[in-house]
Amino acid sequence: MTIDPQTKSMLLQFQKNEITEHHIYLKLSRIIKGEKNRALLKKIAADERDHYFIFKKYTNEDVRPDHARIVWYYLISRIFGLSFGLKLMERGEGNAQKQYGRVTNPIVEVEKILTDEDAHENALLNLLDEEMLQYTGSMVLGLNDALVELTGALAGFTLALRNTKLIALVGLVTGISAALSMASSEYLSTKSEETNKNPLKASVYTGVAYLATVFILITPYLIGTNYFACLGAALMAAVVIIFCFNYYISVAKDRPFKKHFLEMVGLSLGVAVISFLIGFLLRKILPVEV
């Protein structure tokens, strides 16, 4: 079949995508736990290789894989978990499928490729049962409480104390104490529930998420000297944490991003504003100078 240069250019890009994804799935199959999961990834890798050869039949050219993309998804999967890495890659494949539809007429096998890609997506939806995802609720509890409580506390301390090092000290004491309290509460709560989650692990995930958030929010006060600038930096850090965590959850657990992101941002910043005003009023009412 004779194909025009524009169509051939598209097919060569499709080839590159397919052979790249073949190597990604094959590489990840070597680190995944469970024979069933490993066999599934190898099957998907083989399908992607077959798709590559379908396109090659029309282009009569070999294409090298995108090694940077292979390394990128491998590292993402190692750091943030296979569920996140694979589902993030599947989102990219969804965009590619829309492009495949443009060459359905000249390339009849594209229908088979699209069917395979849909099957891959459905197979990956319930592929993994990673520990980090099992304890997402505990992480959300730690993050959400730390963001709401500490952003509010720091806003109040900023107006009341007006000394960055003192604010950092009081914030750390408050944050660490609250983290230990939250971890203990999560341990007792999980222990009393009928669940497969380990109470100790649940408490650790809650405590670690809380402590990590505390140290990130406190850092501007340890570095800077202008307490208003430090408060602004802490609030910006809170928004970034909320964005990153909600993006992770939206990809790994197929949940809507915008709704949860705006909800957490509104709650955290709303409490910060109220606490800021309370700190201002208390400083005016109480005869205390720091």
Side-chain angles (χ1 to χ4, degrees), residues 71-103:
V71 172
W72 168 252
Y73 279 110
Y74 178 78
L75 291 176
I76 285 289
S77 299
R78 293 293 285 182
I79 296 170
F80 297 105
L82 281 165
S83 289
F84 180 80
L86 289 171
K87 290 182 178 179
L88 184 64
M89 188 168 69
E90 278 299 310
R91 283 191 172 189
E93 287 193 14
N95 295 328
Q97 289 177 40
K98 295 178 182 178
Q99 297 296 320
Y100 287 1
R102 296 169 60 183
V103 295

Side-chain angles (χ1 to χ4, degrees), residues 1 3-18 51-52 54-61 63 99-100 102-104 106-107 110 113:
M1 177 186 293
I3 56 176
D4 61 84
Q6 184 178 0
T7 301
K8 183 175 181 179
S9 177
M10 290 176 61
L11 294 180
L12 288 171
Q13 184 57 52
F14 297 161
Q15 264 186 267
K16 190 178 189 71
N17 289 339
E18 297 295 342
H51 299 166
Y52 168 84
I54 288 174
F55 289 127
K56 182 183 175 182
K57 184 171 67 174
Y58 293 93
T59 63
N60 294 314
E61 291 186 28
V63 179
Q99 297 296 320
Y100 287 1
R102 296 169 60 183
V103 295
T104 303
I107 315 297
V110 165
I113 294 174

Side-chain angles (χ1 to χ4, degrees), residues 210-244:
Y210 200 115
L211 281 174
T213 306
V214 167
F215 284 111
I216 291 172
L217 297 182
I218 290 294
T219 298
Y221 291 92
L222 295 172
I223 299 172
T225 55
N226 185 307
Y227 46 87
F228 285 124
C230 292
L231 175 60
L235 294 178
M236 287 179 62
V239 173
V240 171
I241 292 170
I242 294 170
F243 177 89
C244 293

Side-chain angles (χ1 to χ4, degrees), residues 163-202:
N163 181 304
T164 56
K165 297 301 179 285
L166 186 57
I167 294 168
L169 175 62
V170 176
L172 280 172
V173 172
T174 302
I176 292 172
S177 300
L180 295 174
S181 175
M182 285 299 303
S184 301
S185 297
E186 179 67 359
Y187 175 84
L188 295 174
S189 174
T190 306
K191 194 172 184 179
S192 65
E193 296 173 355
E194 292 184 4
T195 176
N196 293 326
K197 292 197 297 184
N198 183 301
L200 181 59
K201 285 185 177 181

Side-chain angles (χ1 to χ4, degrees), residues 21-46 74 77 82 86 127:
E21 287 163 8
H22 162 72
H23 286 288
I24 293 172
Y25 283 117
L26 201 60
K27 197 174 183 68
L28 293 179
S29 72
R30 301 186 186 116
I31 62 172
I32 196 171
K33 294 179 181 178
E35 286 300 323
K36 183 179 178 181
N37 290 341
R38 188 173 296 112
L40 176 58
L41 289 189
K42 286 182 177 180
K43 169 66 169 58
I44 294 176
Y74 178 78
S77 299
L82 281 165
L86 289 171
L127 171 64

Side-chain angles (χ1 to χ4, degrees), residues 3 96 271 275:
I3 56 176
V271 170
S275 300

